[in-house]
Amino acid sequence: MQKLAIVGGTSLRGEVQISGAKNAALPIMCASLLTAESLHLTNVPDLHDVATMRKLLQQMGMSAQITPGEVVFSGDRVDTLEAPYDMVKTMRAAILVLGPLVSRFGEAMVSLPGGCAIGSRPVDLHIKGLQAMGAEISIEHGYIHARAARLKGARIFFDIVSVTGTENLMMAAALADGVTVLENAAREPEVVDLADCLRAMGAKISGDGTDTITIAGVDRLHGASHRIMPDRIESGTFLVAAAAAGGEIVLRDCRADILETVLEKLGEAGARIVSEPGTIQIAMPHRPRSVNVRTAPHPAFPTDMQAQFMAMNCIAEGSAMVVETIFENRFMHVQELRRLGARIDVEGNTAVVHGVEKLEGASVMATDLRASACLVIAGLVAQGETVIDRIYHLDRGYSHIESKLSQLGANIRRLK
Ligand code: UD1
């Protein structure tokens, strides 16, 4: 199993190129199932999850022409309407094929994802939404079996804001008969990027980016080209790394307008931030100050940045409260951070982090994607060597993280 070895204590300097967003690329790849024509995607990140999704779509009969950073999907020969357990268990986002398959082909068999490291993560809202649109759904041998002659537009209220739930139903509604209104919908920028791609394919969608999305179904969608938006979580991770390790870095090909809460918190921590179209520059000349964070759906503070801020708070001046309101078990990095000398108390969904002067390198284990990023940041600030095991989690969502960090001056290498 591959590991990362980091010798901490160096500040970060230089420029880093931000990749396309994983959480936009995955739903948009599934949108290619909605048409027989070609969907040309650019700024596609080089990630394990993207490769897994591509394999899944190819297993269904989609063709994929791949060049670096680009892929052209064609869906004129789809013959397998199934997402098997082996794929869904490694990548929950595979549930995103459900809506497009039922909508275009009238049937889908998608494995239930089951629990994952950060919580139980049910998909009941995806299922209820499709049922409201007239799909017949049964659970058979661990699979969701959905059937519908043609989905019908419906008014659907989400009890809980769900990002992939919103995306799945938005794609399903694009080819439904009549108008669908999604209420209490997710406002995440990735939902907007998917809506932009669907509109380029001929879908009639409005209200994305607000909590009410209206989709007027059309009879067919056509081919299109779409550039995947920049990854705001990758951007945020590099910014926090610089804030924790000190130094001055510039992110290229990113967007400040979708990172507002993160930038505000970094400002509170004492970082100097200058953003211009396409770039964000951060400088942290001194030890960061602790900052409280409370995760909630967009535009509030993202749960996918919680672990990274926890790592920064570990060596910050003062104490801070980190409250996780989205997932019930997203503090697994706490145990690992303690191995590096962090002082953290946890009570329910709240962690109180007491900043210490220094962390010390040790062997730690990555438990999920963003927890891995948190351990990388902790390794960058810890004295001596930190070895992170199980970095396959990291490779699911961060493109070439060790070479990007090396370019910024970090002492980091992959152990094969
Ligand atoms: C997406 C992101 C993930 C991010 C999360 C929250 C992708 C591929 N993944 O995950 O990186 O951490 O949003 O911003 O975009 N829930 C239900 N029933 C459902 C669906 C969700 O109870 O049917 C609950 C979940 O357990 C969780 C909350 O709703 O507590 C939010 O989850 P959701 O927004 O659906 O997360 P994902 O879309 O899986």
Side-chain angles (χ1 to χ4, degrees):
M1 215 174 285
Q2 297 194 357
K3 300 179 185 183
L4 276 184
I6 304 172
V7 179
T10 345
S11 56
L12 301 182
R13 275 173 216 286
E15 290 190 4
V16 61
Q17 182 75 25
I18 295 306
S19 300
K22 168 179 93 69
N23 286 355
L26 298 176
I28 287 171
M29 290 167 80
C30 294
S32 67
L33 284 167
L34 288 164
T35 176
E37 295 179 19
S38 298
L39 183 64
H40 179 185
L41 302 177
T42 56
N43 204 30
V44 178
D46 182 13
L47 300 171
H48 274 197
D49 271 8
V50 166
T52 307
M53 184 64 89
R54 200 174 53 223
K55 218 184 293 169
L56 173 62
L57 295 173
Q58 285 173 316
Q59 274 186 15
M60 293 177 175
M62 299 279 302
S63 73
Q65 276 171 269
I66 306 155
T67 45
E70 299 193 14
V71 58
V72 180
F73 287 107
S74 298
D76 52 346
R77 284 194 206 133
V78 175
D79 52 11
T80 307
L81 308 176
E82 184 183 326
Y85 178 63
D86 278 357
M87 293 267 177
V88 184
K89 77 167 189 231
T90 58
M91 184 191 59
R92 296 176 48 85
I95 189 76
L96 286 162
V97 300
L98 180 63
L101 285 179
V102 196
S103 191
R104 178 162 159 228
F105 301 100
E107 187 162 5
M109 285 280 275
V110 177
S111 170
L112 275 168
C116 76
I118 63 174
S120 65
R121 297 182 82 176
V123 288
D124 56 314
L125 300 170
H126 304 234
I127 293 175
K128 278 188 201 150
L130 287 174
Q131 283 170 328
M133 297 172 80
E136 269 180 48
I137 297 188
S138 53
I139 307 295
E140 298 161 13
H141 306 290
Y143 278 72
I144 305 165
H145 187 188
R147 270 162 299 194
R150 185 172 182 195
L151 293 174
K152 292 192 173 48
R155 181 168 281 270
I156 295 163
F157 181 83
F158 285 91
D159 301 333
I160 302 173
V161 177
S162 167
V163 178
T164 49
T166 300
E167 291 165 344
N168 228 341
L169 298 184
M170 193 162 78
M171 289 190 278
L175 287 179
D177 181 18
V179 176
T180 299
V181 180
L182 304 178
E183 288 182 282
N184 201 24
R187 290 180 280 172
E188 266 66 3
E190 293 76 14
V191 173
V192 176
D193 205 35
L194 171 64
D196 282 340
C197 176
L198 291 169
R199 272 189 290 267
M201 295 166 71
K204 303 255 178 293
I205 301 175
S206 59
D208 46 295
T210 76
D211 61 6
T212 307
I213 304 178
T214 304
I215 307 111
V218 295
D219 289 338
R220 58 180 291 280
L221 293 175
H222 51 71
S225 291
H226 181 80
R227 182 176 169 82
I228 307 287
M229 65 179 278
D231 197 312
R232 66 192 165 103
I233 305 300
E234 188 199 22
S235 307
T237 301
F238 279 104
L239 292 172
V240 177
E248 190 166 339
I249 67 169
V250 179
L251 312 191
R252 297 273 175 222
D253 276 344
C254 61
R255 273 175 59 187
D257 62 310
I258 51 177
L259 268 166
E260 272 177 2
T261 36
V262 167
L263 296 179
E264 200 182 296
K265 288 289 168 189
L266 286 167
E268 248 179 68
R272 285 199 313 265
I273 294 167
V274 181
S275 51
E276 281 169 22
T279 68
I280 304 175
Q281 183 179 356
I282 184 170
M284 184 59 114
H286 49 71
R287 185 180 174 193
R289 289 189 290 273
S290 290
V291 285
N292 294 331
V293 299
R294 181 186 180 84
T295 67
H298 193 79
F301 187 87
T303 174
D304 285 351
M305 286 301 302
Q306 180 255 105
Q308 299 89 319
F309 269 77
M310 176 103 73
M312 181 183 78
N313 277 334
C314 286
I315 49 90
E317 206 181 317
S319 297
M321 252 187 357
V322 176
V323 185
E324 172 59 56
T325 76
I326 308 275
F327 294 112
E328 69 265 33
N329 189 25
R330 208 170 198 183
F331 280 150
M332 278 171 312
H333 38 286
V334 168
Q335 287 290 359
E336 303 303 306
L337 289 170
R338 284 180 183 145
R339 289 180 51 73
L340 302 174
R343 280 187 54 220
I344 306 170
D345 300 318
V346 176
E347 179 72 44
N349 69 345
T350 302
V352 179
V353 188
H354 308 282
V356 294
E357 292 268 346
K358 60 179 177 62
L359 296 177
E360 284 175 0
S363 290
V364 288
M365 189 121 70
T367 47
D368 69 65
L369 171 55
R370 305 306 169 184
S372 320
C374 142
L375 295 178
V376 170
I377 294 171
L380 290 172
V381 298
Q383 290 184 350
E385 188 175 68
T386 297
V387 176
I388 308 174
D389 202 348
R390 300 208 177 156
I391 55 158
Y392 54 84
H393 291 293
L394 202 62
D395 294 330
R396 285 187 40 218
Y398 287 91
S399 182
H400 307 287
I401 192 164
E402 75 272 27
S403 52
K404 288 187 182 185
L405 282 169
S406 296
Q407 270 172 33
L408 296 174
N411 185 339
I412 181 169
R413 72 205 148 90
R414 187 175 286 253
L415 311 175
K416 295 205 172 166

mmCIF file of all heavy atoms in Angstrom, residues 27 48 63 110 141 186 209 242 326 359-360 416:
data_model
loop_
_atom_site.group_PDB
_atom_site.id
_atom_site.type_symbol
_atom_site.label_atom_id
_atom_site.label_comp_id
_atom_site.label_asym_id
_atom_site.label_seq_id
_atom_site.Cartn_x
_atom_site.Cartn_y
_atom_site.Cartn_z
ATOM 1 N N PRO A 27 -20.922 14.149 -11.302
ATOM 2 C CA PRO A 27 -22.299 14.235 -11.813
ATOM 3 C C PRO A 27 -22.361 14.574 -13.297
ATOM 4 O O PRO A 27 -23.209 14.055 -14.029
ATOM 5 C CB PRO A 27 -22.947 15.349 -10.968
ATOM 6 C CG PRO A 27 -21.843 16.041 -10.277
ATOM 7 C CD PRO A 27 -20.700 15.082 -10.185
ATOM 8 N N HIS A 48 -8.638 9.166 -9.096
ATOM 9 C CA HIS A 48 -9.152 7.790 -9.072
ATOM 10 C C HIS A 48 -10.666 7.737 -9.228
ATOM 11 O O HIS A 48 -11.196 6.887 -9.937
ATOM 12 C CB HIS A 48 -8.744 7.102 -7.765
ATOM 13 C CG HIS A 48 -7.382 6.486 -7.866
ATOM 14 N ND1 HIS A 48 -6.922 5.545 -7.000
ATOM 15 C CD2 HIS A 48 -6.387 6.695 -8.758
ATOM 16 C CE1 HIS A 48 -5.704 5.184 -7.347
ATOM 17 N NE2 HIS A 48 -5.361 5.886 -8.408
ATOM 18 N N SER A 63 -19.130 5.027 -24.817
ATOM 19 C CA SER A 63 -17.744 5.062 -25.274
ATOM 20 C C SER A 63 -17.101 6.324 -24.711
ATOM 21 O O SER A 63 -17.767 7.341 -24.497
ATOM 22 C CB SER A 63 -17.680 5.039 -26.797
ATOM 23 O OG SER A 63 -18.089 6.273 -27.298
ATOM 24 N N VAL A 110 -29.150 -0.136 -9.423
ATOM 25 C CA VAL A 110 -27.978 0.506 -8.825
ATOM 26 C C VAL A 110 -27.799 -0.037 -7.422
ATOM 27 O O VAL A 110 -28.749 -0.026 -6.620
ATOM 28 C CB VAL A 110 -28.143 2.045 -8.802
ATOM 29 C CG1 VAL A 110 -26.955 2.699 -8.109
ATOM 30 C CG2 VAL A 110 -28.295 2.591 -10.223
ATOM 31 N N HIS A 141 -32.028 -7.722 -3.375
ATOM 32 C CA HIS A 141 -30.653 -8.218 -3.172
ATOM 33 C C HIS A 141 -29.638 -7.086 -3.069
ATOM 34 O O HIS A 141 -28.576 -7.137 -3.677
ATOM 35 C CB HIS A 141 -30.258 -9.158 -4.332
ATOM 36 C CG HIS A 141 -31.230 -10.270 -4.533
ATOM 37 N ND1 HIS A 141 -31.356 -11.304 -3.637
ATOM 38 C CD2 HIS A 141 -32.161 -10.494 -5.498
ATOM 39 C CE1 HIS A 141 -32.305 -12.133 -4.052
ATOM 40 N NE2 HIS A 141 -32.827 -11.654 -5.172
ATOM 41 N N ALA A 186 -30.071 21.758 -2.871
ATOM 42 C CA ALA A 186 -28.695 22.169 -2.549
ATOM 43 C C ALA A 186 -28.297 23.348 -3.436
ATOM 44 O O ALA A 186 -28.652 23.398 -4.609
ATOM 45 C CB ALA A 186 -27.744 21.004 -2.763
ATOM 46 N N GLY A 209 -28.565 27.263 -7.824
ATOM 47 C CA GLY A 209 -27.825 28.253 -7.025
ATOM 48 C C GLY A 209 -28.729 28.858 -5.960
ATOM 49 O O GLY A 209 -28.261 29.523 -5.045
ATOM 50 N N ALA A 242 -1.051 26.613 3.331
ATOM 51 C CA ALA A 242 -0.151 27.776 3.400
ATOM 52 C C ALA A 242 -0.372 28.550 4.702
ATOM 53 O O ALA A 242 0.586 29.040 5.307
ATOM 54 C CB ALA A 242 -0.379 28.691 2.198
ATOM 55 N N ILE A 326 -23.157 18.143 9.354
ATOM 56 C CA ILE A 326 -23.632 17.408 8.169
ATOM 57 C C ILE A 326 -23.499 15.896 8.358
ATOM 58 O O ILE A 326 -24.439 15.150 8.108
ATOM 59 C CB ILE A 326 -22.852 17.829 6.893
ATOM 60 C CG1 ILE A 326 -22.852 19.338 6.721
ATOM 61 C CG2 ILE A 326 -23.390 17.104 5.660
ATOM 62 C CD1 ILE A 326 -24.037 19.943 6.042
ATOM 63 N N LEU A 359 3.630 20.434 16.552
ATOM 64 C CA LEU A 359 3.279 19.021 16.438
ATOM 65 C C LEU A 359 4.575 18.263 16.179
ATOM 66 O O LEU A 359 5.565 18.846 15.742
ATOM 67 C CB LEU A 359 2.299 18.804 15.283
ATOM 68 C CG LEU A 359 0.919 19.464 15.386
ATOM 69 C CD1 LEU A 359 0.110 19.193 14.123
ATOM 70 C CD2 LEU A 359 0.151 18.980 16.612
ATOM 71 N N GLU A 360 4.534 16.968 16.424
ATOM 72 C CA GLU A 360 5.725 16.144 16.165
ATOM 73 C C GLU A 360 5.376 15.022 15.218
ATOM 74 O O GLU A 360 4.344 14.364 15.393
ATOM 75 C CB GLU A 360 6.255 15.560 17.474
ATOM 76 C CG GLU A 360 6.992 16.590 18.284
ATOM 77 C CD GLU A 360 7.425 16.074 19.634
ATOM 78 O OE1 GLU A 360 7.154 14.897 19.939
ATOM 79 O OE2 GLU A 360 8.033 16.860 20.373
ATOM 80 N N LYS A 416 6.402 3.787 -2.355
ATOM 81 C CA LYS A 416 5.587 2.786 -3.072
ATOM 82 C C LYS A 416 5.828 1.406 -2.492
ATOM 83 O O LYS A 416 6.892 1.095 -2.040
ATOM 84 C CB LYS A 416 5.939 2.826 -4.547
ATOM 85 C CG LYS A 416 5.532 4.179 -5.134
ATOM 86 C CD LYS A 416 5.272 4.120 -6.606
ATOM 87 C CE LYS A 416 4.671 5.485 -7.042
ATOM 88 N NZ LYS A 416 4.632 5.729 -8.409
#
